[in-house]
Amino acid sequence: RWSSIWTWGGTGTPLEGEFIVITEGQTILLDVSTPILAFLLIKGGTLMFDRENAEIELESKYILLVEGGILEIGTEEEPYDSKAIITMHGNTRCTEMPVFGCKVIGVRNGT
């Protein structure tokens, strides 16, 4: 669970402006809305929106899925019936990810 401090090593949940990495073998249930993250890297792991919440918002400047990373908001078999919001923040011009651009959900070998 995103809201559990134990998901994050017992030191607290992610704060605004942090660079968050979800690695291979990790599956994290997004059960609360996030602060504005600097970067969300889903590197072989899975981030799933919680079906039990009426509304969840994921906020970040960049989201990148690599090495089989998965961002799941329902499936064909189990559609997501709640309200999922993804808000991208930042400027229209940037140099951090020149291949993908600004305010982007980039996918390279992910789903």
Side-chain angles (χ1 to χ4, degrees), residues 15 25-27 103:
L15 301 174
Q26 280 187 301
T27 297
K103 298 193 291 186

Side-chain angles (χ1 to χ4, degrees), residues 82-104:
S82 299
K83 185 174 183 180
I85 303 166
I86 299 176
T87 303
M88 304 306 295
H89 295 268
N91 298 310
T92 55
R93 294 179 186 214
C94 60
T95 58
E96 289 82 3
M97 292 198 355
V99 173
F100 292 101
C102 304
K103 298 193 291 186
V104 66

Side-chain angles (χ1 to χ4, degrees), residues 26-85:
Q26 280 187 301
T27 297
I28 297 176
L29 183 68
L30 186 59
D31 60 331
V32 294
S33 293
T34 69
I36 300 170
L37 305 172
F39 204 111
L40 173 61
L41 176 61
I42 305 176
K43 187 176 180 183
T46 302
L47 180 63
M48 299 171 55
F49 275 62
D50 187 357
R51 299 178 199 289
E52 306 279 317
N53 274 343
E55 180 176 315
I56 296 176
E57 184 171 12
L58 171 59
E59 298 188 75
S60 188
K61 293 182 180 178
Y62 303 93
I63 299 173
L64 182 60
L65 289 75
V66 297
E67 298 178 19
I70 299 169
L71 175 59
E72 183 180 304
I73 307 172
T75 64
E76 190 173 345
E77 296 79 26
E78 294 184 55
Y80 189 79
D81 295 325
S82 299
K83 185 174 183 180
I85 303 166

